[in-house]
Amino acid sequence: MTGVVLAGGEGTRLRPVTEVTNKHLLPVYDRPMIYYPLKTLKEMGCESVVLVTGGEHLGGFAELLKNGNDIGMDIIYRVQENAEGIAQALSRAEGLVKGLFPVILGDNYFSQPPPMPDEPTLFTKEVADPERFGVYQNGQIVEKPTIPASNQAVTGLYVYDERVFSLFDKIKPSDRGEYEITDINNYYLKLGAKVVEMAGDWFDMGTFDSLLRATNYIHDNR
Ligand code: DAU
């Protein structure tokens, strides 16, 4: 199975640290951030992965991971020319993945990867600060609601099938100028995607505080 890891974006919440490098190459305790989502995909059964990132830091990923031999996965690189959203990054994997496949955001850490489901699935987790995330509430997902109606955050792990590539034409950039994965996920809910609450612990690592929490957690639980 081939999965997808999305590692583009500008890492604006981690400036100035991300001024000259990509967020996913930063250390999280003793390894670069990107190792953690790759490990999650491997544990879900991926022997290969499409890594999507912006052209400016592709060399850093290639230098670090090469063809993926050291981590036991084949890596196929694809470029997202401008950081115009997670959904746009995913569109760059078209033609390289088949059947049912997992997609993970490069800044997401899961302590316990779920078993690979047998149908399209979105994974949620109860959090104390849902306003920072896409929130699953009243049967649909709202991206970063000011007043969340539930504490179920939509994590950055999704299982799609090839139908996902026909949905990109249906969505428009949001107010923050990005093609939102939440819009794709709301289509998937209409197509009957399952919503499953994650076991174990989950962190995004995209802010200084969440990066520090993840680093301490990994240090303490290694
Ligand atoms: O972490 C889970 C959250 O991730 C979800 O709850 C939200 O629904 C989802 O929109 C996303 O929210 P963020 O605002 O945290 O996403 P962020 O812009 O930090 O992007 C997350 C990852 O997606 C990033 O580490 C790399 C990838 N990405 C992002 C953008 C904007 C790309 O590959 N290309 C992009 O253009």
Side-chain angles (χ1 to χ4, degrees), residues 5-13 22-24 33 52-54 80 82-90 104-108 130 132-135 141-144 153-158 176 178-182 185 202-207:
V5 60
L6 302 177
E10 294 177 337
T12 47
R13 280 168 283 197
N22 179 287
K23 168 171 69 173
H24 314 89
M33 186 185 295
V52 184
T53 188
Q80 181 191 17
N82 303 303
E84 289 172 350
I86 298 172
Q88 188 197 53
L90 176 56
I104 192 166
L105 302 183
D107 68 351
N108 269 227
R132 289 182 51 224
F133 301 103
V135 177
I141 304 165
V142 182
E143 187 63 29
K144 301 188 182 73
V154 180
T155 70
L157 179 65
Y158 320 101
R176 61 171 174 169
E178 293 184 9
Y179 291 92
E180 301 286 346
I181 201 67
T182 283
N185 288 336
W202 166 62
F203 300 94
D204 87 293
M205 302 179 276
T207 64

Side-chain angles (χ1 to χ4, degrees), residues 122-214:
L122 308 177
F123 296 93
T124 62
K125 187 76 193 168
E126 190 177 318
V127 294
D129 49 1
E131 64 286 347
R132 289 182 51 224
F133 301 103
V135 177
Y136 182 58
Q137 52 184 52
N138 307 319
Q140 56 157 17
I141 304 165
V142 182
E143 187 63 29
K144 301 188 182 73
T146 322
I147 303 174
S150 103
N151 53 11
Q152 290 292 312
V154 180
T155 70
L157 179 65
Y158 320 101
V159 171
Y160 299 121
D161 51 23
E162 286 163 78
R163 286 178 299 178
V164 75
F165 298 106
S166 66
L167 300 176
F168 297 125
D169 285 347
K170 296 183 192 285
I171 63 170
K172 294 197 172 59
S174 62
D175 292 345
R176 61 171 174 169
E178 293 184 9
Y179 291 92
E180 301 286 346
I181 201 67
T182 283
D183 291 342
I184 298 293
N185 288 336
N186 277 323
Y187 273 108
Y188 254 95
L189 289 176
K190 286 190 200 131
L191 292 172
K194 263 194 319 186
V195 179
V196 171
E197 188 169 353
M198 274 284 184
D201 294 304
W202 166 62
F203 300 94
D204 87 293
M205 302 179 276
T207 64
F208 287 112
D209 286 350
S210 62
L211 181 59
L212 181 63
R213 274 198 296 276

Side-chain angles (χ1 to χ4, degrees), residues 3 18 40 51 61 93 127 134 143 145 151 200 205 216 221:
T18 47
T40 299
L51 189 158
F61 286 97
V127 294
E143 187 63 29
N151 53 11
M205 302 179 276
N216 286 330
N221 290 277

Side-chain angles (χ1 to χ4, degrees), residues 33-53:
M33 186 185 295
I34 190 72
Y35 276 55
Y36 298 100
L38 287 172
K39 184 164 180 278
T40 299
L41 291 184
K42 192 171 179 190
E43 289 174 1
M44 289 178 78
C46 294
E47 63 282 342
S48 54
V49 63
V50 180
L51 189 158
V52 184
T53 188

Side-chain angles (χ1 to χ4, degrees), residues 54-126:
E56 67 283 17
H57 299 301
L58 189 61
F61 286 97
E63 206 174 327
L64 176 71
L65 299 165
K66 306 179 184 71
N67 290 323
N69 294 352
D70 291 352
I71 57 163
M73 296 176 97
D74 265 339
I75 302 181
I76 305 157
Y77 297 93
R78 296 287 285 170
V79 170
Q80 181 191 17
E81 301 80 351
N82 303 303
E84 289 172 350
I86 298 172
Q88 188 197 53
L90 176 56
S91 73
R92 300 300 184 259
E94 184 163 12
L96 298 169
V97 283
K98 293 202 170 47
L100 210 57
F101 58 91
V103 175
I104 192 166
L105 302 183
D107 68 351
N108 269 227
Y109 172 85
F110 296 90
S111 70
Q112 229 176 286
M116 181 65 190
D118 54 12
E119 54 188 310
T121 303
L122 308 177
F123 296 93
T124 62
K125 187 76 193 168
E126 190 177 318

